[in-house]
Amino acid sequence: MQYSILSLYFPFPDGAVFRRNGGGAPQTGPPARNRFTPPPAGVMVRSGGDTLWGSMRLICLGLGYTARAFVRRHGGRFSTIGATARDPDSALNFNNLPVDVIPLWDGDAALRRAAGEADVILVSAGPDASGDPFADRLRACLTTPGRGKHVLYLSTVGVYGDHGGAWVDEATPPRPASDRSRWRLDAEGKWLALAKPPDLAVQIFRLAGIYGPGRSAVDNLRSGTARRVVKPGQVFNRIHVDDIADVLMRALERGRSGAVWNVADNEPAPPQDVVAFAARCLGIEPPPEVSFETAGLSPMARSFYGENKRISNAALREKLGVRLNYPTYREGIAAIAGSPPP
């Protein structure tokens, strides 16, 4: 059995042949870096004295855009990091990240072991019509007394539904309008039901529209795919992916089990304004405005415009003490464009 690995390791059985970083001479036996190794000496103590940063073990259930940003920004605070992969091909996409693969294509044994040994579980894998892909599978692994585990579940502000442009906060009753948002709300409930402080703490993060390098109006303009769709009165909140990563770390330090956080910027804004601002940052003309009715949007895109609300992030600022790196789309878009705000 022979593998070519790009900057990551599979959990090889003894005697398996593997290659590191896509080349080199074959070696036998398990890889030199074992998953979830004992913590090193000289770890840092969190304020409060109950958690040792540097000895904590992180697993990511799903390693998408946001989870990758968290690993890049804060991975050094964990002794080991694991991430799930559905198949060997998707595992190869973990290139250049300091993570160990938790394979899902050969049963749940590796997943259960990793979850049982983890201190922090970042859940970004989304649910579908059949429910959350992990909550029920890991129930027994996550409720072991004495471990002090933390679950960070990434949800969406879509669970609030449409509010006609009015402000909503964490006390606003959810009323999801789409199947996707209903599935998310159900998944939130499943994870919250597992919480048993102090053995298992669960926090929910309702994310606004995520943007960042490679996923922004700047990138769309550069690729020629940007559009300025205008629907009068329509606004959206956004959140830079690096701010999400920092909020998650702050919640680990100061959050409480059962908390729900709106993770959004300070300024809901019309989407066409964001595209126009990005064009100014790049020194180019923005694309022409097109009305929502004639834009020919996909059903998925049209569903986003069917919900209009302003997301309050007051709890983040006042209870967690978060200060966003990119408090509005202007700072974030300008940073991606590589220019000061015009």
Side-chain angles (χ1 to χ4, degrees):
M1 192 163 50
Q2 196 160 351
Y3 298 82
S4 178
I5 310 299
L6 299 176
S7 301
L8 51 87
Y9 293 112
F10 289 91
F12 293 96
D14 289 344
V17 177
F18 67 94
R19 297 179 186 271
R20 182 178 183 183
N21 295 329
Q27 304 174 46
T28 58
R33 179 186 175 201
N34 296 317
R35 282 186 294 138
F36 309 117
T37 53
V43 295
M44 181 169 63
V45 181
R46 183 181 112 180
S47 60
D50 59 340
T51 303
L52 301 178
W53 293 118
S55 71
M56 296 186 77
R57 302 167 179 183
L58 167 70
I59 63 169
C60 301
L61 304 183
L63 194 66
Y65 187 67
T66 301
R68 288 168 181 264
F70 182 74
V71 169
R72 284 194 300 268
R73 287 180 73 82
H74 299 293
R77 302 185 72 175
F78 299 92
S79 62
T80 57
I81 305 171
T84 57
R86 290 176 304 227
D87 52 58
D89 287 340
S90 62
L92 293 176
N93 293 327
F94 293 4
N95 188 23
N96 297 326
L97 287 173
V99 299
D100 299 308
V101 175
I102 303 170
L104 300 180
W105 60 86
D106 192 25
D108 281 355
L111 172 65
R112 292 195 181 103
R113 184 176 73 242
E117 295 176 345
D119 300 290
V120 177
I121 300 104
L122 175 59
V123 187
S124 62
D128 56 22
S130 62
D132 184 89
F134 292 109
D136 288 335
R137 292 160 73 183
L138 297 179
R139 181 182 302 271
C141 308
L142 299 179
T143 54
T144 304
R147 284 294 308 200
K149 295 179 182 292
H150 304 261
V151 170
L152 310 175
Y153 182 78
L154 304 188
S155 185
T156 170
V157 296
V159 300
Y160 293 114
D162 179 38
H163 286 265
W167 285 94
V168 301
D169 61 19
E170 291 86 350
T172 302
R175 53 186 196 197
S178 69
D179 286 340
R180 297 185 314 278
S181 296
R182 282 189 283 270
W183 298 337
R184 280 289 185 186
L185 187 61
D186 288 343
E188 287 184 11
K190 286 236 178 188
W191 284 103
L192 286 171
L194 295 179
K196 292 183 179 178
D199 297 321
L200 179 63
V202 178
Q203 298 184 68
I204 306 296
F205 302 84
R206 292 175 177 166
L207 309 180
I210 304 167
Y211 76 101
R215 188 179 294 187
S216 72
V218 170
D219 299 282
N220 293 340
L221 284 164
R222 285 171 170 162
S223 67
T225 60
R227 304 181 73 190
R228 272 204 299 165
V229 177
V230 179
K231 184 180 181 184
Q234 180 74 49
V235 295
F236 295 107
N237 282 86
R238 297 150 191 84
I239 188 68
H240 194 287
V241 70
D242 288 349
D243 278 325
I244 299 174
D246 291 353
V247 166
L248 295 175
M249 202 69 225
R250 188 69 164 178
L252 274 175
E253 296 169 341
R254 298 187 58 175
R256 58 174 177 81
S257 185
V260 176
W261 306 104
N262 287 343
V263 186
D265 64 2
N266 297 349
E267 184 181 328
Q272 66 271 18
D273 291 2
V274 179
V275 177
F277 180 81
R280 289 202 301 275
C281 288
L282 293 174
I284 63 176
E285 287 296 315
E289 291 186 350
V290 57
S291 72
F292 172 76
E293 290 77 14
T294 61
L297 298 176
S298 68
M300 173 78 77
R302 289 185 69 88
S303 71
F304 290 121
Y305 280 83
E307 299 179 8
N308 191 14
K309 51 187 169 284
R310 290 170 164 83
I311 306 298
S312 170
N313 66 7
L316 277 189
R317 293 181 282 107
E318 297 168 9
K319 296 180 180 180
L320 277 187
V322 168
R323 183 175 181 179
L324 297 177
N325 301 295
Y326 307 102
T328 77
Y329 69 86
R330 296 178 189 85
E331 293 85 1
I333 290 295
I336 296 167
S339 64

